[in-house]
Short mmCIF file of all heavy atoms in Angstrom, two decimals:
data_model
loop_
_atom_site.label_atom_id
_atom_site.label_comp_id
_atom_site.label_asym_id
_atom_site.label_seq_id
_atom_site.Cartn_x
_atom_site.Cartn_y
_atom_site.Cartn_z
N VAL G 1 138.88 96.85 117.90
CA VAL G 1 137.90 95.77 117.94
C VAL G 1 136.82 96.06 118.97
O VAL G 1 135.62 95.84 118.73
CB VAL G 1 138.59 94.42 118.25
CG1 VAL G 1 137.56 93.35 118.58
CG2 VAL G 1 139.44 93.99 117.07
N VAL G 2 137.23 96.57 120.15
CA VAL G 2 136.25 96.92 121.19
C VAL G 2 135.29 97.98 120.68
O VAL G 2 134.06 97.86 120.83
CB VAL G 2 136.98 97.41 122.46
CG1 VAL G 2 135.97 97.93 123.47
CG2 VAL G 2 137.82 96.29 123.06
N VAL G 3 135.83 99.03 120.06
CA VAL G 3 134.98 100.10 119.52
C VAL G 3 134.07 99.57 118.42
O VAL G 3 132.89 99.92 118.35
CB VAL G 3 135.86 101.26 118.99
CG1 VAL G 3 134.99 102.32 118.32
CG2 VAL G 3 136.67 101.87 120.12
N LEU G 4 134.61 98.69 117.59
CA LEU G 4 133.83 98.13 116.49
C LEU G 4 132.66 97.30 117.02
O LEU G 4 131.54 97.38 116.49
CB LEU G 4 134.73 97.27 115.59
CG LEU G 4 134.05 96.60 114.40
CD1 LEU G 4 133.49 97.65 113.45
CD2 LEU G 4 135.03 95.69 113.67
N ILE G 5 132.92 96.52 118.05
CA ILE G 5 131.85 95.71 118.64
C ILE G 5 130.74 96.60 119.18
O ILE G 5 129.55 96.36 118.96
CB ILE G 5 132.41 94.80 119.76
CG1 ILE G 5 133.32 93.73 119.16
CG2 ILE G 5 131.27 94.15 120.55
CD1 ILE G 5 134.06 92.92 120.20
N LEU G 6 131.14 97.67 119.90
CA LEU G 6 130.16 98.59 120.45
C LEU G 6 129.31 99.22 119.35
O LEU G 6 128.07 99.22 119.42
CB LEU G 6 130.86 99.68 121.26
CG LEU G 6 129.97 100.81 121.77
CD1 LEU G 6 128.93 100.30 122.75
CD2 LEU G 6 130.81 101.91 122.41
N PHE G 7 129.97 99.76 118.33
CA PHE G 7 129.23 100.43 117.26
C PHE G 7 128.39 99.45 116.45
O PHE G 7 127.34 99.82 115.93
CB PHE G 7 130.20 101.19 116.36
CG PHE G 7 130.56 102.54 116.87
CD1 PHE G 7 131.68 102.73 117.69
CD2 PHE G 7 129.78 103.64 116.58
CE1 PHE G 7 132.00 103.97 118.18
CE2 PHE G 7 130.10 104.90 117.06
CZ PHE G 7 131.22 105.06 117.87
N THR G 8 128.84 98.21 116.34
CA THR G 8 128.05 97.21 115.63
C THR G 8 126.74 96.92 116.37
O THR G 8 125.66 96.90 115.77
CB THR G 8 128.85 95.91 115.47
OG1 THR G 8 130.04 96.17 114.72
CG2 THR G 8 128.02 94.85 114.75
N ILE G 9 126.84 96.71 117.66
CA ILE G 9 125.65 96.42 118.46
C ILE G 9 124.70 97.61 118.46
O ILE G 9 123.49 97.47 118.18
CB ILE G 9 126.05 96.05 119.90
CG1 ILE G 9 126.83 94.73 119.92
CG2 ILE G 9 124.80 95.92 120.78
CD1 ILE G 9 127.40 94.38 121.27
N VAL G 10 125.24 98.80 118.76
CA VAL G 10 124.40 99.99 118.83
C VAL G 10 123.81 100.31 117.45
O VAL G 10 122.63 100.65 117.33
CB VAL G 10 125.21 101.19 119.37
CG1 VAL G 10 124.38 102.47 119.31
CG2 VAL G 10 125.66 100.92 120.80
N GLY G 11 124.63 100.18 116.41
CA GLY G 11 124.14 100.47 115.07
C GLY G 11 123.04 99.54 114.64
O GLY G 11 122.04 99.96 114.04
N TYR G 12 123.19 98.26 114.96
CA TYR G 12 122.17 97.28 114.59
C TYR G 12 120.85 97.58 115.29
O TYR G 12 119.78 97.58 114.66
CB TYR G 12 122.66 95.88 114.95
CG TYR G 12 121.67 94.79 114.63
CD1 TYR G 12 121.56 94.28 113.33
CD2 TYR G 12 120.86 94.25 115.62
CE1 TYR G 12 120.65 93.28 113.04
CE2 TYR G 12 119.95 93.24 115.33
CZ TYR G 12 119.85 92.76 114.04
OH TYR G 12 118.94 91.77 113.75
N ILE G 13 120.92 97.85 116.60
CA ILE G 13 119.70 98.16 117.35
C ILE G 13 119.10 99.47 116.88
O ILE G 13 117.86 99.61 116.79
CB ILE G 13 120.02 98.20 118.86
CG1 ILE G 13 120.40 96.80 119.35
CG2 ILE G 13 118.82 98.72 119.65
CD1 ILE G 13 120.81 96.73 120.80
N PHE G 14 119.95 100.43 116.54
CA PHE G 14 119.43 101.71 116.03
C PHE G 14 118.66 101.52 114.73
O PHE G 14 117.55 102.05 114.57
CB PHE G 14 120.60 102.68 115.81
CG PHE G 14 120.18 104.02 115.28
CD1 PHE G 14 119.74 105.01 116.14
CD2 PHE G 14 120.22 104.28 113.92
CE1 PHE G 14 119.35 106.25 115.65
CE2 PHE G 14 119.84 105.51 113.42
CZ PHE G 14 119.40 106.49 114.29
N ILE G 15 119.23 100.76 113.82
CA ILE G 15 118.57 100.52 112.53
C ILE G 15 117.24 99.79 112.72
O ILE G 15 116.24 100.10 112.08
CB ILE G 15 119.50 99.73 111.60
CG1 ILE G 15 120.71 100.58 111.22
CG2 ILE G 15 118.76 99.27 110.34
CD1 ILE G 15 121.79 99.83 110.47
N LYS G 16 117.25 98.80 113.62
CA LYS G 16 116.05 98.01 113.85
C LYS G 16 114.98 98.76 114.64
O LYS G 16 113.78 98.50 114.46
CB LYS G 16 116.41 96.73 114.59
CG LYS G 16 117.21 95.72 113.78
CD LYS G 16 116.31 95.04 112.76
CE LYS G 16 117.03 93.90 112.07
NZ LYS G 16 116.16 93.17 111.12
N GLY G 17 115.41 99.66 115.53
CA GLY G 17 114.44 100.25 116.45
C GLY G 17 114.04 101.68 116.19
O GLY G 17 113.05 102.15 116.75
N ILE G 18 114.77 102.40 115.33
CA ILE G 18 114.48 103.81 115.14
C ILE G 18 113.10 104.03 114.53
O ILE G 18 112.45 105.05 114.79
CB ILE G 18 115.56 104.47 114.23
CG1 ILE G 18 115.42 105.99 114.24
CG2 ILE G 18 115.51 103.90 112.83
CD1 ILE G 18 115.61 106.63 115.59
N GLY G 19 112.62 103.06 113.77
CA GLY G 19 111.30 103.21 113.17
C GLY G 19 110.16 103.20 114.18
O GLY G 19 109.06 103.67 113.88
N ALA G 20 110.40 102.66 115.37
CA ALA G 20 109.36 102.61 116.40
C ALA G 20 109.31 103.89 117.24
O ALA G 20 108.36 104.10 117.99
CB ALA G 20 109.58 101.40 117.31
N ILE G 21 110.34 104.72 117.13
CA ILE G 21 110.43 105.90 117.99
C ILE G 21 109.57 107.02 117.45
O ILE G 21 109.77 107.51 116.34
CB ILE G 21 111.89 106.39 118.11
CG1 ILE G 21 112.79 105.26 118.63
CG2 ILE G 21 111.98 107.60 119.00
CD1 ILE G 21 112.46 104.78 120.00
N ASN G 22 108.60 107.43 118.22
CA ASN G 22 107.76 108.59 117.93
C ASN G 22 107.11 109.05 119.22
O ASN G 22 107.31 108.46 120.29
CB ASN G 22 106.69 108.26 116.86
CG ASN G 22 105.89 107.02 117.22
OD1 ASN G 22 105.39 106.89 118.34
ND2 ASN G 22 105.77 106.10 116.28
N LEU G 23 106.34 110.11 119.17
CA LEU G 23 105.74 110.66 120.38
C LEU G 23 104.77 109.68 121.03
O LEU G 23 104.71 109.58 122.27
CB LEU G 23 105.01 111.97 120.04
CG LEU G 23 105.90 113.17 119.69
CD1 LEU G 23 105.05 114.38 119.35
CD2 LEU G 23 106.85 113.48 120.84
N LYS G 24 104.01 108.96 120.22
CA LYS G 24 103.07 107.99 120.78
C LYS G 24 103.82 106.88 121.51
O LYS G 24 103.38 106.40 122.56
CB LYS G 24 102.21 107.39 119.66
CG LYS G 24 101.16 106.43 120.16
CD LYS G 24 100.33 105.88 119.01
CE LYS G 24 99.29 104.89 119.53
NZ LYS G 24 98.49 104.31 118.42
N PHE G 25 104.94 106.46 120.97
CA PHE G 25 105.75 105.42 121.59
C PHE G 25 106.23 105.87 122.97
O PHE G 25 106.24 105.09 123.92
CB PHE G 25 106.93 105.09 120.69
CG PHE G 25 107.87 104.06 121.25
CD1 PHE G 25 107.56 102.71 121.18
CD2 PHE G 25 109.07 104.44 121.84
CE1 PHE G 25 108.43 101.75 121.70
CE2 PHE G 25 109.94 103.50 122.35
CZ PHE G 25 109.62 102.14 122.29
N PHE G 26 106.64 107.13 123.09
CA PHE G 26 107.15 107.63 124.37
C PHE G 26 106.04 107.95 125.36
O PHE G 26 106.17 107.65 126.55
CB PHE G 26 107.99 108.90 124.14
CG PHE G 26 109.41 108.62 123.78
CD1 PHE G 26 109.87 108.81 122.50
CD2 PHE G 26 110.30 108.13 124.73
CE1 PHE G 26 111.19 108.56 122.16
CE2 PHE G 26 111.61 107.86 124.41
CZ PHE G 26 112.07 108.07 123.12
N PHE G 27 104.97 108.56 124.90
CA PHE G 27 104.00 109.14 125.82
C PHE G 27 102.67 108.38 125.89
O PHE G 27 101.74 108.86 126.53
CB PHE G 27 103.73 110.60 125.45
CG PHE G 27 104.96 111.45 125.57
CD1 PHE G 27 105.61 111.91 124.43
CD2 PHE G 27 105.48 111.77 126.80
CE1 PHE G 27 106.75 112.68 124.53
CE2 PHE G 27 106.62 112.55 126.91
CZ PHE G 27 107.26 113.01 125.78
N GLY G 28 102.58 107.22 125.25
CA GLY G 28 101.40 106.39 125.44
C GLY G 28 101.30 105.94 126.89
O GLY G 28 102.30 105.76 127.57
N ASP G 29 100.08 105.75 127.37
CA ASP G 29 99.89 105.52 128.80
C ASP G 29 99.72 104.05 129.16
O ASP G 29 99.19 103.72 130.21
CB ASP G 29 98.68 106.30 129.31
CG ASP G 29 97.39 105.91 128.60
OD1 ASP G 29 97.44 105.06 127.69
OD2 ASP G 29 96.32 106.44 128.97
N ALA G 30 100.15 103.14 128.29
CA ALA G 30 100.05 101.72 128.62
C ALA G 30 101.26 100.99 128.09
O ALA G 30 101.98 101.47 127.22
CB ALA G 30 98.77 101.13 128.04
N ASN G 31 101.48 99.79 128.60
CA ASN G 31 102.59 98.96 128.16
C ASN G 31 102.51 98.71 126.67
O ASN G 31 101.43 98.47 126.14
CB ASN G 31 102.53 97.64 128.92
CG ASN G 31 103.77 96.79 128.67
OD1 ASN G 31 103.89 96.19 127.62
ND2 ASN G 31 104.65 96.75 129.63
N PRO G 32 103.63 98.75 125.94
CA PRO G 32 103.58 98.56 124.49
C PRO G 32 103.33 97.14 124.05
O PRO G 32 103.18 96.89 122.88
CB PRO G 32 104.98 99.00 124.05
CG PRO G 32 105.82 98.76 125.23
CD PRO G 32 104.97 99.06 126.41
N LEU G 33 103.28 96.19 125.00
CA LEU G 33 103.04 94.81 124.59
C LEU G 33 101.69 94.70 123.90
O LEU G 33 101.61 94.44 122.72
CB LEU G 33 103.12 93.88 125.80
CG LEU G 33 103.06 92.39 125.49
CD1 LEU G 33 104.17 92.00 124.52
CD2 LEU G 33 103.15 91.56 126.75
N TYR G 34 100.63 94.91 124.64
CA TYR G 34 99.32 95.02 124.02
C TYR G 34 98.23 95.20 125.08
O TYR G 34 98.39 94.87 126.23
CB TYR G 34 98.94 93.81 123.15
CG TYR G 34 99.05 92.47 123.84
CD1 TYR G 34 98.05 91.99 124.66
CD2 TYR G 34 100.18 91.68 123.64
CE1 TYR G 34 98.17 90.76 125.26
CE2 TYR G 34 100.31 90.46 124.25
CZ TYR G 34 99.30 89.99 125.06
OH TYR G 34 99.43 88.78 125.67
N VAL G 35 97.13 95.79 124.62
CA VAL G 35 95.90 95.82 125.40
C VAL G 35 94.87 95.08 124.55
O VAL G 35 94.60 95.45 123.42
CB VAL G 35 95.44 97.27 125.65
CG1 VAL G 35 94.15 97.26 126.47
CG2 VAL G 35 96.52 98.05 126.37
N ILE G 36 94.33 94.02 125.08
CA ILE G 36 93.43 93.17 124.29
C ILE G 36 92.04 93.78 124.28
O ILE G 36 91.41 93.97 125.31
CB ILE G 36 93.38 91.75 124.85
CG1 ILE G 36 94.77 91.12 124.80
CG2 ILE G 36 92.38 90.90 124.08
CD1 ILE G 36 94.82 89.72 125.36
N LEU G 37 91.57 94.13 123.10
CA LEU G 37 90.19 94.57 122.88
C LEU G 37 89.57 93.62 121.87
O LEU G 37 89.74 93.76 120.68
CB LEU G 37 90.17 96.01 122.36
CG LEU G 37 90.74 97.08 123.30
CD1 LEU G 37 90.71 98.43 122.60
CD2 LEU G 37 89.94 97.13 124.59
N GLY G 38 88.88 92.63 122.38
CA GLY G 38 88.39 91.57 121.51
C GLY G 38 89.57 90.76 121.01
O GLY G 38 90.30 90.16 121.77
N LYS G 39 89.78 90.75 119.70
CA LYS G 39 90.92 90.05 119.11
C LYS G 39 91.98 91.02 118.60
O LYS G 39 92.94 90.62 117.96
CB LYS G 39 90.45 89.15 117.97
CG LYS G 39 89.53 88.03 118.42
CD LYS G 39 89.14 87.16 117.23
CE LYS G 39 88.23 86.01 117.67
NZ LYS G 39 87.86 85.15 116.53
N GLU G 40 91.79 92.30 118.89
CA GLU G 40 92.69 93.32 118.36
C GLU G 40 93.74 93.71 119.40
O GLU G 40 93.46 93.79 120.59
CB GLU G 40 91.88 94.56 117.97
CG GLU G 40 92.73 95.67 117.38
CD GLU G 40 91.90 96.90 117.08
OE1 GLU G 40 90.70 96.89 117.38
OE2 GLU G 40 92.46 97.87 116.54
N ARG G 41 94.94 93.94 118.94
CA ARG G 41 96.01 94.44 119.81
C ARG G 41 96.16 95.94 119.58
O ARG G 41 96.46 96.37 118.47
CB ARG G 41 97.33 93.74 119.51
CG ARG G 41 97.33 92.28 119.88
CD ARG G 41 98.71 91.71 119.76
NE ARG G 41 98.75 90.34 120.23
CZ ARG G 41 99.85 89.71 120.61
NH1 ARG G 41 101.00 90.34 120.56
NH2 ARG G 41 99.81 88.47 121.03
N VAL G 42 95.95 96.72 120.64
CA VAL G 42 96.05 98.16 120.54
C VAL G 42 97.38 98.59 121.16
O VAL G 42 97.61 98.40 122.35
CB VAL G 42 94.89 98.86 121.28
CG1 VAL G 42 95.03 100.37 121.17
CG2 VAL G 42 93.56 98.39 120.70
#
């Protein structure tokens, strides 16, 4: 049960978050929340 809970949590986050992982995500030089340029979020 302990192992299952761990793999469930990690697996869920992996499925949800793996799509965001790329070089720009790691090496961008600003917080990923947003930089406001007019009404656009960069």
Side-chain angles (χ1 to χ4, degrees):
V1 168
V2 173
V3 175
L4 180 62
I5 292 173
L6 173 64
F7 276 92
T8 300
I9 294 173
V10 174
Y12 179 81
I13 293 176
F14 179 84
I15 293 171
K16 290 286 188 177
I18 191 62
I21 303 298
N22 52 49
L23 290 179
K24 183 179 179 181
F25 178 80
F26 275 107
F27 297 107
D29 60 357
N31 188 284
L33 187 57
Y34 53 82
V35 180
I36 299 179
L37 297 177
K39 295 182 179 180
E40 182 183 2
R41 293 188 174 200
V42 180

